[in-house]
Amino acid sequence: MPDGLLDPIHSPADLRGMSAEDLVRLAREIRTLITKTVAARGGHLASNLGVVDLTLALHRAFDFSRDHLIWDVGHQCYAHKILTGRKAGFANLRTAGGASGFPNPAESPYDLFRTGHAGTSLSTALGLALAEKAAGSGVRTVAVIGDGALGAGMALEAINHAGEVGGDLLIILNDNQMAIGPTVGGLARYLTRMRTTAAYGNLKQDVHEVLDKLPLGEPLARAIHAFKNTLKEAVIPDHVFERWGLRCFGPVDGHHIGDLMEAIEEMKRLTVPRLLHVHTRKGCGFAPAAEEPAAWHSAKPFTECNGQVVRESESDEQLTWTYAAVSELLDHAKSDERIVAITAAMPDGTGLLRFGHRYPDRFFDVGICEQHGVAMAAGLARGGRRPVVAIYSTFLQRAYDQLFHEVALQGLPVVVLIDRAGLVGADGPTHQGLYDIAYLRHLPGFTLAAPADRHELAGMMDLALAATGPWAIRYPRDRVPPADFSTQPVEVGRAAVLRRGKAGAILGLGSVVAAAMAAAETLAAEGLDLTVASARFAKPVDGPCVASLVAEHPWVLVLEDHTAPGGFGSAVLEAAAERGLDTRKIHRVAVPDEFIEHDTRGAQLAAAGLTAEKIVERVRTLCGKA
Ligand SMILES: Cc1ncc(C[n+]2csc(CCOP(=O)(O)OP(=O)(O)O)c2C)c(N)n1
């Protein structure tokens, strides 16, 4: 076949007649398409390039229009999307109306779950396998999980259970020795040892098992021969998960399509929970990503010219809330040796890498284990340390019970830095940080703050690190305003009035205050003078401030970069109702109660009515000037 192998492929069925050599060439074409698309749109590059061969081998071996395929996290599903009829939408990856960066059943029947969080695949896959077992359907279930996600508690819970209940579940362990950065923990070290220590086993038992499951009439000798030839050196009787009841095979070179296809075909002979250990390299096929897989995990758009790669400027990194928060933390860590910092596999994203470099002995990367990270922070606090845990809002959801049970219930001084709180842009609904106010503000004793500017952030960090109980500071994936709005000292539960007017009042929480101030400027020029206050705290809410805003203005507009139900606006309404205020005067602008699709953060904010322009329109309406 000439090049252009990808053009006629519209579904996995089109792979059927292709030779291993053609698949190798096809893999190259898919890698080129992925690289070009991510160059234009941004996205998860290194992980996707690493699984192209594996994706082809899986789609070649199984019929996933019938069998089930689950990708853990789902950030590595680009080749799968391209092969399952989504080439056209892929060109607009992660942009409004284009393919999302993660699996999505609304896009294709080949995606069974909408995912983006790590460690969930084995549980959902086991559920599917058990359902098919109960139905006696003969449908197989395959889950692909990385060595990073495998360390997540939930994945281990599923393996623990799978060994006991059975089901036709094939787990592909995609081992590239990396999560976003190098995989951490004892399991990772164990898998690395497996690379070098070949542990060949007692084939007899395995062959018997295979034969037990073979269809009647299959020639015995052929089956034994085929099995011995392909998996002879692959059975791993000493594998830790063998002891847990999984049959374990491998390792197989995940970039040798022929070997992969053979091994996967063999795996199809078994109908018990089994694991095939596959070695891949992140970034395979694109040198910059292969050399620096962490930097190319989630890539910004880039251009390639004469072999030179120019990435979209990272120079704004120092202007972000993430950078500012870690800078404030570092200032404190200098003088307070009790401060320790914890990340759950996101040292880069949370900015804590800087802390780790400066204070390696006071820095912990716990892996993709948010629950453990938060509970460990509680232990550190109980032991006299000042733990600061930085986790994205969406992933902190994992640790809700630890925030309740290990932190709040004990009243321990753990500081949680909630990064990516609010609308997140291109990652879409799996990653939106829209629920943290709702899931924290009902926990007794928690203080929940959100800065509008650098001055407030600094004041909040001072208070948080001096507190005797739990604290959280939420901030978005955005830039810090270039100038502070006030110098009023930050006090727990106190809002700050930034400007005064009579036409109406805006009470904003956190970064939306900047939009409110810009809107107030525009409206002042139209003769509408507004009061604008920075709420600073979602808990405790400044009740007296709410009371005076309601008393002194015809209306109060409450803004938050968070979902409406249970958010800051809800808290303000509760505070107003408790004080017997006229709640009809309070209007809310928050993210609506629906899942917000991938788009730019700016477009998502505008759709929610949280940009300066939208606030201006809303105020004109409230003032009867629309
Ligand atoms: C619960 C949760 N925490 C953190 C993340 C952020 N995250 C996305 S991919 C990833 C690394 C996954 O590593 P691995 O499972 O080994 O897959 P690879 O990228 O190496 O293929 C992390 C930490 C997430 N998606 N979910």
Side-chain angles (χ1 to χ4, degrees):
M1 269 199 222
D3 268 340
L5 290 173
L6 186 53
D7 293 342
I9 289 180
H10 303 292
S11 92
D14 298 325
L15 299 175
R16 294 280 177 267
M18 292 179 80
S19 65
E21 293 72 40
D22 279 347
L23 290 175
V24 169
R25 283 164 49 210
L26 180 62
R28 215 173 296 137
E29 287 182 34
I30 292 175
R31 284 196 165 89
T32 303
L33 177 59
I34 290 174
T35 308
K36 279 192 172 151
T37 307
V38 173
R41 305 289 181 204
H44 288 94
L45 188 57
S47 308
N48 276 293
L49 293 178
V51 297
V52 173
D53 311 296
L54 176 61
T55 309
L56 281 168
L58 283 170
H59 275 291
R60 180 60 196 272
F62 290 91
D63 174 5
F64 290 118
S65 65
R66 181 168 182 271
D67 295 326
H68 304 311
L69 174 61
I70 309 275
W71 295 95
D72 200 88
V73 186
H75 64 307
Q76 73 293 57
C77 71
Y78 294 180
H80 165 79
K81 289 202 175 198
I82 290 166
L83 293 172
T84 52
R86 284 174 275 179
K87 251 184 302 179
F90 192 69
N92 293 322
L93 179 71
R94 290 159 52 91
T95 57
S100 90
F102 295 93
N104 183 356
E107 278 179 13
S108 164
Y110 285 93
D111 295 355
L112 288 162
F113 285 89
R114 213 168 181 185
T115 58
H117 288 201
T120 68
S121 63
L122 304 190
S123 298
T124 51
L126 181 60
L128 285 163
L130 291 175
E132 298 300 350
K133 186 177 165 191
S137 66
V139 168
R140 301 179 170 97
T141 303
V142 180
V144 181
I145 186 164
D147 53 305
L150 188 68
M154 191 175 159
L156 298 175
E157 289 171 29
I159 290 179
N160 184 40
H161 190 213
E164 193 163 288
V165 288
D168 186 348
L169 171 63
L170 169 59
I171 299 171
I172 305 279
L173 169 55
N174 170 34
D175 179 6
N176 52 29
Q177 296 185 294
M178 298 285 288
I180 293 177
T183 314
V184 300
L187 186 57
R189 284 201 302 280
Y190 170 76
L191 293 175
T192 304
R193 271 206 312 281
M194 297 296 300
R195 281 178 176 248
T196 44
T197 331
Y200 306 136
N202 172 12
L203 266 177
K204 217 167 163 193
Q205 192 190 339
D206 299 85
V207 173
H208 273 292
E209 272 213 41
V210 173
L211 294 178
D212 284 348
K213 311 286 175 195
L214 280 176
L216 288 175
E218 184 86 13
L220 197 79
R222 217 186 70 208
I224 293 175
H225 181 74
F227 191 76
K228 275 190 169 175
N229 275 346
T230 51
L231 288 180
K232 181 161 51 190
E233 298 184 337
V235 179
I236 318 172
D238 289 339
H239 197 290
V240 63
F241 295 137
E242 278 276 335
R243 311 252 164 120
W244 289 26
L246 279 194
R247 308 316 321 269
C248 296
F249 303 91
V252 179
D253 178 353
H255 299 301
H256 192 292
I257 291 188
D259 283 0
L260 266 178
M261 286 196 323
E262 225 171 323
I264 293 170
E265 280 301 328
E266 289 304 324
M267 289 296 103
K268 283 167 67 180
R269 292 167 180 264
L270 299 178
T271 54
V272 292
R274 56 215 183 274
L275 178 146
L276 180 65
H277 190 166
V278 176
H279 282 162
T280 61
R281 286 186 309 284
K282 270 186 133 167
C284 179
F286 180 61
E291 279 155 26
E292 282 187 290
W296 289 87
H297 177 84
S298 179
K300 286 189 169 184
F302 63 96
T303 50
E304 231 187 323
C305 189
N306 300 329
Q308 289 283 59
V309 170
V310 184
R311 307 186 69 178
E312 198 172 86
S313 165
E314 298 285 348
S315 61
D316 62 357
E317 190 202 323
Q318 299 191 5
L319 306 176
T320 62
W321 284 106
T322 302
Y323 193 92
V326 173
S327 299
E328 294 297 337
L329 178 62
L330 284 169
D331 273 356
H332 285 270
K334 230 184 308 179
S335 54
D336 187 346
E337 289 189 353
R338 297 170 308 156
I339 292 176
V340 294
I342 298 165
T343 175
M346 311 287 289
D348 257 318
T350 58
L352 282 185
L353 205 54
R354 288 163 65 214
F355 190 103
H357 287 149
R358 187 93 57 93
Y359 304 108
D361 297 341
R362 290 154 59 185
F363 170 70
F364 301 99
D365 180 353
V366 297
I368 310 177
C369 301
E370 290 81 3
Q371 295 153 295
H372 162 60
V374 169
M376 187 181 85
L380 283 158
R382 179 65 88 211
R385 303 277 111 190
R386 299 291 333 210
V388 177
V389 196
I391 297 183
Y392 290 8
S393 170
T394 189
F395 303 138
L396 188 63
Q397 287 161 200
R398 270 285 151 92
Y400 168 72
D401 190 52
Q402 287 69 25
L403 291 167
F404 156 70
H405 189 256
E406 272 64 46
V407 177
L409 187 58
Q410 323 297 329
L412 286 168
V414 170
V415 177
V416 188
L417 300 181
I418 311 178
D419 202 327
R420 289 358 181 225
L423 292 157
V424 296
D427 280 336
T430 54
H431 284 58
Q432 302 288 12
L434 295 174
Y435 313 106
D436 54 89
I437 298 175
Y439 70 70
L440 283 179
R441 78 180 184 85
H442 56 221
L443 294 180
F446 237 101
T447 301
L448 178 51
D453 59 23
R454 180 71 185 249
H455 162 74
E456 291 188 358
L457 174 66
M460 289 167 187
M461 195 70 81
D462 291 348
L463 291 169
L465 288 168
T468 53
W471 253 77
I473 304 175
R474 80 185 301 263
Y475 44 85
R477 178 180 210 162
D478 218 325
R479 291 180 179 201
V480 180
D484 293 332
F485 298 113
S486 85
T487 54
Q488 297 167 50
V490 180
E491 292 170 60
V492 175
R494 294 288 306 276
V497 174
L498 306 178
R499 60 180 291 157
R500 290 184 189 277
K502 292 258 179 264
I506 299 180
L507 176 61
L509 179 73
S511 61
V512 293
V513 168
M517 290 296 278
E521 287 284 311
T522 305
L523 290 158
E526 296 175 15
L528 292 174
D529 278 320
L530 301 181
T531 293
V532 176
S534 170
R536 295 184 169 178
F537 292 87
K539 181 174 187 169
V541 167
D542 188 343
C545 174
V546 172
S548 67
L549 292 179
V550 171
E552 291 162 21
H553 302 86
W555 50 261
V556 178
L557 191 59
V558 183
L559 309 180
E560 63 187 310
D561 183 3
H562 184 275
T563 193
F568 174 62
S570 301
V572 170
L573 283 170
E574 286 166 19
E578 276 158 20
R579 285 176 163 71
L581 306 175
D582 183 356
T583 52
R584 288 168 307 174
K585 288 171 83 174
I586 298 174
H587 304 265
R588 296 192 285 162
V589 182
V591 179
D593 182 17
E594 59 197 50
F595 294 112
I596 308 299
E597 295 299 330
H598 55 279
D599 204 336
T600 61
R601 175 169 151 81
Q604 290 167 344
L605 283 167
L610 288 164
T611 53
E613 297 73 31
K614 295 288 175 187
I615 296 166
V616 166
E617 286 170 22
R618 183 69 184 266
V619 169
R620 284 190 191 126
T621 306
L622 286 168
C623 293
K625 304 253 162 127

